[in-house]
Amino acid sequence: MSAEFFCVSCRTPFLNAFPLDAEGRCALCRSGLRGFDAAYCFGAYEGVLRKLIHLYKYGRIKTLARPLGDLLAAALPRDQEWDALVPVPLHWRRQWKRGFNQSELLARTIARRTAIPVVKALRRKHATLTQAGLSNTNRRRNVAKAFFCKRPAAVAGKRILLIDDVMTTGSTAAACALALKRAGARKVALLTVARVDRRMDGARLLVSQSAALPSEALSEALLPAVLQSKVGGVF
């Protein structure tokens, strides 16, 4: 992704500099609501990239973890060092239904390329509502106390790279990062394959359409069209 105006911490792109302070930070990062110290992604959650992620998560095509992990590796900042990769956890019921945690498979792909260890340090305490269709404030409330660090000794004083597939508003990542920070993590950054670019008119349309169905049902409904579409182009 590229943008003329973006937050120096969370990398959220903006149409102009109005939301940024003199240091280039957005309001959420200034207030500490982000939780994580930085965010990196490969591209916008649209087009071919969005179709591939849907096939991976909801079509349950686990072999896509490797090529999507390669995109994650391309977005990995080369000038920084990390002590551990921590995947964003699923609630056990959702993981049982899907058959795997997409974030964990991505983290393991990155681990094979970088030799950074994967640490399953987080646990989701309770199932949360589907984030799609919720306002930004309600998204934060929905996941505010959903995560806790089950292995504080494994993250204390460490530089943690939090791994997920998509960043929408960052609420889930922020809740995970805060749990890691409370456990003593020195630094937490987020690395995702894609993020929703809210500069685009289609971003709000995507959220409003997905509100009509649970995410699993929506994606399964879209899957036939995705499979029939032509997958091509350059990211």
Side-chain angles (χ1 to χ4, degrees), residues 158-185:
K158 302 291 182 63
R159 297 160 296 186
I160 304 298
L161 197 57
L162 188 65
I163 306 296
D164 205 358
D165 56 334
V166 178
M167 174 181 172
T168 305
T169 64
S171 301
T172 298
C176 289
L178 288 171
L180 292 168
K181 289 285 187 71
R182 285 194 293 268

Side-chain angles (χ1 to χ4, degrees), residues 40-107:
Y40 311 96
C41 78
F42 176 79
Y45 187 51
E46 60 178 27
V48 174
L49 189 55
R50 179 173 175 267
K51 291 176 182 179
L52 288 173
I53 292 171
H54 271 246
L55 285 171
Y56 173 49
K57 286 173 64 173
Y58 308 120
R60 300 176 178 86
I61 302 179
K62 294 167 63 175
T63 52
L64 280 171
R66 182 172 180 178
L68 290 174
D70 289 341
L71 302 186
L72 267 182
L76 190 67
R78 305 299 176 187
D79 59 343
Q80 298 187 46
E81 295 183 355
W82 310 98
D83 300 307
L85 305 171
V86 175
V88 172
L90 291 175
H91 187 263
W92 71 266
R93 288 193 184 91
R94 182 164 293 178
Q95 183 164 337
W96 174 77
K97 182 178 180 181
R98 184 171 297 166
F100 63 97
N101 177 356
Q102 73 278 359
S103 301
E104 182 180 343
L105 294 187
L106 291 172

Side-chain angles (χ1 to χ4, degrees), residues 126-232:
H126 54 265
T128 54
L129 297 174
T130 300
Q131 292 281 72
L134 298 179
S135 67
N136 290 359
T137 299
N138 286 335
R139 280 172 179 263
R140 289 193 291 271
R141 290 174 178 169
N142 188 36
V143 296
K145 298 180 180 179
F147 303 94
F148 75 98
C149 182
K150 61 181 181 180
R151 298 181 60 188
V155 303
K158 302 291 182 63
R159 297 160 296 186
I160 304 298
L161 197 57
L162 188 65
I163 306 296
D164 205 358
D165 56 334
V166 178
M167 174 181 172
T168 305
T169 64
S171 301
T172 298
C176 289
L178 288 171
L180 292 168
K181 289 285 187 71
R182 285 194 293 268
R186 179 173 22 137
K187 178 180 180 180
V188 180
L190 172 67
L191 178 65
T192 61
V193 179
R195 72 182 295 164
V196 173
D197 187 347
R198 295 191 173 275
R199 295 172 299 172
M200 299 180 180
D201 293 336
R204 289 185 179 83
L205 178 62
L206 171 63
V207 173
S208 63
Q209 287 177 336
S210 63
L213 287 169
S215 57
E216 298 277 357
L218 173 68
S219 300
E220 289 173 2
L222 290 174
L223 190 57
V226 171
L227 290 170
Q228 292 172 10
S229 67
K230 295 181 180 179
V231 179

